[in-house]
Amino acid sequence: MSIINVETFTWMKPIKARNTSKTYLMIGQVKGVASTLLVTLEGGNGGAVMFCQKHDFAYPIKGKCAECQNTPREETTDASVTARNTG
């Protein structure tokens, strides 16, 4: 079982998810996970899900934002590799 550290808000502002077209209420900012909120479905049973603020995407707590996973990443050069002229 993993622990989620959340900095709670004093009010539950509504936010709409693009992937579900449902309105959620913000519970708080998830610490250590950039641009991620803990939210609950407006008019729901009080269960919580994660919400990616970059993509307005709601997903299960043990899941990941599908949009973030599909975002192209820049290739980086390994710092240990160096170019050398052998000519």
Side-chain angles (χ1 to χ4, degrees):
M1 179 159 103
S2 60
I3 296 172
I4 299 171
N5 193 359
V6 177
E7 183 177 336
T8 57
F9 299 137
T10 55
W11 66 91
M12 297 176 83
K13 180 181 172 185
I15 190 167
K16 189 164 186 153
R18 260 189 323 120
N19 65 319
T20 65
S21 298
K22 295 179 181 178
T23 300
Y24 295 85
L25 300 173
M26 297 180 189
I27 296 172
Q29 177 73 42
V30 178
K31 290 185 178 182
V33 185
S35 302
T36 303
L37 300 172
L38 187 68
V39 298
T40 188
L41 183 61
E42 185 175 53
N45 64 4
V49 296
M50 303 293 244
F51 188 91
C52 174
Q53 291 179 288
K54 288 181 184 176
H55 301 107
D56 296 330
F57 198 95
Y59 59 94
I61 288 177
K62 292 191 176 193
K64 293 185 178 181
C65 173
E67 291 292 323
C68 285
Q69 289 180 342
N70 293 328
T71 301
R73 302 175 205 275
E74 286 186 30
E75 281 191 38
T76 57
T77 305
D78 187 343
S80 64
V81 176
T82 57
R84 196 163 132 189
N85 185 353
T86 58

